[in-house]
Amino acid sequence: MIHLTEQGINSGRRLCLTNRSDGQQNIHAALAPLHLPDFRTQTCQECLKIWAAEAYDDSDDMPEYIQALRKQTA
């Protein structure tokens, strides 16, 4: 499984807040190829939900996969 991580002051912290010592992969959320469906299927679903909810404002032009993730969690 691949976890999405923060950048900046909390760089490396997983969005889902699980411990990084479990040997699973990590990638900065802003750099992750989330537009690729195969990548998303390998990604932590909790990290994806958090990214979809927090990375875009409602007024932003969001990719379709973000809109779909938001609908799933609504």
Side-chain angles (χ1 to χ4, degrees), residues 6-26:
E6 296 184 41
Q7 289 183 285
I9 194 165
N10 295 314
S11 184
R13 181 170 68 180
R14 290 178 175 174
L15 299 185
C16 66
L17 300 178
T18 59
N19 191 315
R20 289 178 52 103
S21 64
D22 59 10
Q24 295 178 348
Q25 293 181 315
N26 301 288

Side-chain angles (χ1 to χ4, degrees), residues 15-65:
L15 299 185
C16 66
L17 300 178
T18 59
N19 191 315
R20 289 178 52 103
S21 64
D22 59 10
Q24 295 178 348
Q25 293 181 315
N26 301 288
I27 186 169
H28 287 307
L31 303 176
L34 294 171
H35 63 286
L36 300 173
D38 288 341
F39 184 85
R40 290 195 307 272
T41 61
Q42 298 175 53
T43 303
C44 169
Q45 293 303 299
E46 188 62 26
C47 287
L48 281 175
K49 288 178 194 176
I50 293 167
W51 180 255
E54 302 293 329
Y56 294 87
D57 290 329
D58 289 336
S59 61
D60 289 343
D61 184 24
M62 290 180 258
E64 288 183 26
Y65 70 89

